[in-house]
Each structure stands twice: as C-alpha cells, then as structure tokens.
C-alpha cells in the first residue's frame, strides 16, 4: 500500500512526509483492518510532523480522523463485519484499569495510546484499530463530511461540555478553524448566541455566513459579556483578554493540545468572581459516540476543502498558513465520494 511516512519531524515547508510503498498492516487480536477512504487533516498532525509533540514512533504515519471500510477482522473480533463503515479517531486505546479509566475519565488514562502518534494513522491506504475504539458509522454518511467530526468534531464537543455550554447561552469562540466551525454548528442548534474572534478574513466570512451574532478580533469591545468561551487558537497570550470578556462565573475552555506560554494573570481582572479556566485533554469514547449521534440528528455538515492523497505535505502547509475555510480532508481513495 501507499503511505505517507514521517521519518523525522521538520518544518512542513521542507516536505517531511514521504510517500512510500509499504506492506498492508495485519490486524492484531481484537483489531480491524480498515481500507481508508479519507482522513481529516488536523492541527495535531502538524504538531507531530513539525515536532512540537515529540515522536512516539519513528517512522510514523500521521492522521487520526479516518473514515474507511472494514477489510479484515483480526482474531477475536465480534460485532463487526467486513464491509462495515468505520471511523478511527485520536484515542486508540486506554488501559481500562487505572483510576482515571475506572472513573469514566479515560481521556486522562496514564497508558493511553493515540492514532498517528503511537501507532500508524490514516495518511495511508490502510490502517488498523482496536475494534473497541473504532466508531461504527452509518453506511449512508458522506465520508468526506464525516472525517472532520472524528477529531475536530469530538474535541470541539468535549470543549463545549468543558465550558459547560447550555442551550441559549452566550458563547465566545476564539480562532475559527476546523473544530471551531463545527462547534458553532452545534451551538447554533442549541440556540446559543455565538461571538467569533478571528483575524482571518475568510474565517470571519464563514462565521458570518453561519450566523454569528458578532464577529471581530480580540481587543474590540463586545456588546455583552460572555458566559462561556472556547479558545481554539494555540496562543497563550489570548488567555487574559478572553478572561476579561467573561461574565461573572464564566468559564473558558482551552481546546488545543498545544498552547504557547500564558502571560501572567491578574487575579482581580482575570479570575475573581469565580471565573474558571479549564483545559480539554483528548476525549472519552462516550464523547465520540455522543457527538456522532448529534451529527446525524442536527445534521452536521462541516465546510470542507479536499486535498488529493499525494499532496499531504501541501495540505499540512495550507493548514499551517490557515488557508482552509472550515476543515481540510485528505482524499485517500477514489470512492470516498
Ligand atoms: Zn487507564
Ligand atoms: Zn486531531
């Protein structure tokens, strides 16, 4: 099969992914072999390719928003059939025994492994996944519109939960990329009033098209204080100004896996009146199932730009330069559409 391998992290401008011919992986005990139709391009892939996240496996195939078709069942797999549609996401396995796993917080598992970091991911024609961590997808879903839900959607959904967003409340979204615009679709469905902060004209345009109550940049005055905010931009210096936008008792959730340093906070200005800052760390499978169920009900239709399989490096560069409006998806197989 053809796969994009990362032998050594490097700036994506240097095209660190090499497209190579490698053996199709064998599904191990309890695993599925999935023929990849398409794979969403995530900022975490960029952090792995460029080395902000240290290598866990070398070489590694990145990609953790995989929509595919089950091609082969490993020994001991039950309840899956060849030909089923499957989604593979970031969380690839947990120990199911540590105190976090036992308390329903498997996203914090000490022994968790991740797709496209600890194990090969979806920038390839085939990928494996433990069946218990695969998501069953309805046969009729559009693969390209579903791929971004598998990380951008799930993490965004967890961020909504962490920020305690309720139907009808006021929500600030800072940075308006893949995850943020899916969050906005969910918030719209819940009847929230959404304020979008972005410096990028094409992101602001999408936010307006999607019906944002207010669109602007950090530093501008807003008409009302925010009850909830989610920071998607990986920039720690935005934390203090966003906290200033929060109402008393407001909650800020930070959605990224990577954030540049947060400057000094002022207790009275930024935290007093029971404001809260919370991080978002990966997700549980429950988050994934809830989001995918919601996606069918709403239905979620992310704004997608496709990238041909051969052009993974370019896709990551477009993401780095913030060129995608909504989500980018690598189209691996001709029958993804
Ligand atoms: Zn665990
Ligand atoms: Zn991701």
């Amino acid at each position: 099969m053809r796969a994009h391998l990362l032998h050594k992290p490097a700036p994506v401008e240097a095209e660190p992914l090499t497209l190579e011919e490698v053996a199709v992986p064998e599904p191990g005990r309890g695993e599925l072999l999935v023929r990849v139709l398409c794979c969403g391009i995530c900022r975490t892939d960029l952090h792995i390719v460029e080395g902000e996240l240290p290598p866990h496996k070398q070489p590694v195939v990145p990609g953790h928003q995989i929509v595919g078709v089950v091609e082969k069942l490993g020994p001991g797999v039950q309840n899956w059939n060849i030909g089923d549609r499957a989604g593979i996401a970031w969380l690839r396995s947990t120990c199911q025994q540590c105190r976090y796993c036992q308390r329903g917080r498997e996203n914090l598992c000490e022994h968790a492994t991740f797709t496209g970091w600890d194990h090969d991911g979806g920038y390839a024609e085939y990928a494996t996944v433990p069946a218990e961590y695969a998501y069953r997808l309805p046969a009729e879903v559009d693969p390209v519109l579903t791929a971004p839900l598998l990380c951008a959607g799930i993490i965004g959904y967890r961020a909504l939960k962490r920020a305690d967003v309720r139907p009808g409340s006021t929500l600030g979204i800072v940075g308006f990329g893949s995850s943020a615009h899916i969050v906005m679709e969910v918030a719209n469905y819940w009847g929230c009033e959404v304020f979008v902060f972005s410096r990028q004209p094409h992101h602001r345009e999408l936010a307006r098209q999607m019906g944002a109550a207010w669109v602007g940049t950090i530093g501008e005055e807003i008409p009302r204080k925010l009850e909830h905010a989610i920071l998607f931009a990986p920039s720690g210096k935005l934390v203090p100004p966003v906290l200033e936008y929060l109402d008393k008792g407001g909650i800020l959730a930070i959605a990224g896996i990577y954030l540049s340093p947060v400057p000094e906070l002022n207790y009275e200005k930024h935290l007093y009146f029971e404001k809260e800052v919370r991080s978002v760390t990966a997700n549980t499978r429950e988050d994934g199932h809830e989001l995918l169920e919601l996606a069918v009900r709403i239905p979620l239709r992310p704004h997608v730009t496709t990238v041909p399989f051969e052009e993974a490096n370019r896709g990551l560069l477009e993401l780095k330069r913030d060129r995608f409006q909504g989500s980018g998806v690598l189209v691996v197989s001709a029958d993804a559409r």
Side-chain angles (χ1 to χ4, degrees):
M1 69 165 183
R2 292 182 307 157
H4 286 281
L5 299 187
L6 177 70
H7 290 274
K8 193 166 171 283
V12 74
E13 289 81 355
E15 307 198 340
L17 294 177
T18 53
L19 187 56
E20 297 175 33
E21 192 64 36
V22 297
V24 173
E26 264 304 304
R29 171 156 284 279
E31 288 187 342
L32 309 174
L33 174 68
V34 171
R35 183 170 65 83
V36 180
L37 297 176
C38 59
C39 183
I41 301 171
C42 177
R43 191 162 288 277
T44 301
D45 302 335
L46 190 60
H47 293 321
I48 288 169
V49 166
E50 299 205 314
E52 279 108 347
L53 296 178
H56 280 188
K57 173 185 185 290
Q58 284 181 297
V60 70
V61 178
H64 57 269
Q65 304 187 89
I66 303 164
V67 175
V69 181
V70 175
E71 177 93 2
K72 194 172 170 184
L73 308 176
V77 171
Q78 289 170 348
N79 305 323
W80 282 89
N81 294 305
I82 289 166
D84 286 350
R85 280 288 169 93
I88 306 178
W90 174 239
L91 186 74
R92 183 188 167 89
S93 73
T94 55
C95 75
Q96 305 189 24
Q97 282 166 15
C98 71
R99 61 188 187 282
Y100 306 106
C101 283
Q102 294 284 323
R103 290 177 194 161
R105 300 190 74 175
E106 66 179 358
N107 61 308
L108 302 179
C109 175
E110 306 256 346
H111 309 285
T113 66
F114 302 99
T115 311
W117 194 21
D118 298 287
H119 293 270
D120 289 337
Y123 287 21
E125 289 173 323
Y126 292 89
T128 60
V129 63
E132 278 186 68
Y133 291 81
Y135 293 96
R136 195 178 296 279
L137 301 174
E140 63 276 11
V141 295
D142 181 322
V144 167
L145 296 186
T146 303
L149 303 179
L150 289 162
C151 177
I154 295 173
I155 296 294
Y157 179 69
R158 185 164 183 93
L160 281 164
K161 285 167 77 174
R162 293 285 292 155
D164 211 10
V165 175
R166 306 288 166 89
S169 58
T170 359
L171 168 66
I173 295 178
V174 185
F176 203 67
S178 181
S179 194
H181 93 288
I182 299 172
V183 157
M184 179 153 179
E185 280 194 80
V186 176
N188 281 344
Y189 176 73
W190 286 344
C192 296
E193 189 178 31
V194 182
F195 293 57
V196 173
F197 300 83
S198 171
R199 281 184 310 198
Q200 301 284 346
H202 61 300
H203 290 178
R204 295 218 292 259
E205 183 197 307
L206 181 60
R208 277 190 209 100
Q209 275 173 27
M210 292 178 67
W214 181 92
V215 180
T217 53
I218 293 289
E220 282 180 52
E221 282 216 15
I222 56 171
R224 264 176 296 300
K225 292 275 189 185
L226 304 170
E227 295 168 88
H228 318 271
I230 302 174
L231 176 60
F232 287 101
S235 169
K237 70 176 196 299
L238 299 178
V239 170
V242 176
L243 286 171
E244 286 184 54
Y245 285 131
L246 285 186
D247 199 358
K248 293 178 185 180
I251 302 173
L252 164 64
I254 298 173
I257 189 169
Y258 170 83
L259 190 74
S260 62
V262 179
E264 193 173 290
L265 297 177
N266 175 291
Y267 182 59
E268 199 181 327
K269 212 156 88 176
H270 300 129
L271 293 170
Y272 195 60
F273 298 118
E274 304 199 342
K275 293 181 186 179
E276 290 179 51
V277 186
R278 298 175 178 179
S279 67
V280 178
T281 303
N283 63 277
T284 64
R285 281 172 284 175
E286 195 184 0
D287 297 325
H289 291 299
E290 286 173 13
L291 182 273
L292 290 170
E293 210 175 282
L294 197 56
V296 172
R297 193 158 6 116
I298 294 178
L300 288 177
R301 310 276 299 171
H303 196 94
V304 166
T305 304
T306 57
V307 176
F309 180 51
E310 293 74 19
E311 297 176 29
N313 282 305
R314 182 180 65 79
L316 287 168
L317 188 60
E318 302 269 301
L319 179 66
K320 184 174 182 176
R321 294 184 173 163
D322 226 347
R323 297 263 170 81
F324 292 129
Q325 201 182 31
S327 312
V329 173
L330 200 61
V331 177
V332 179
S333 164
D335 55 352
R337 285 228 186 239

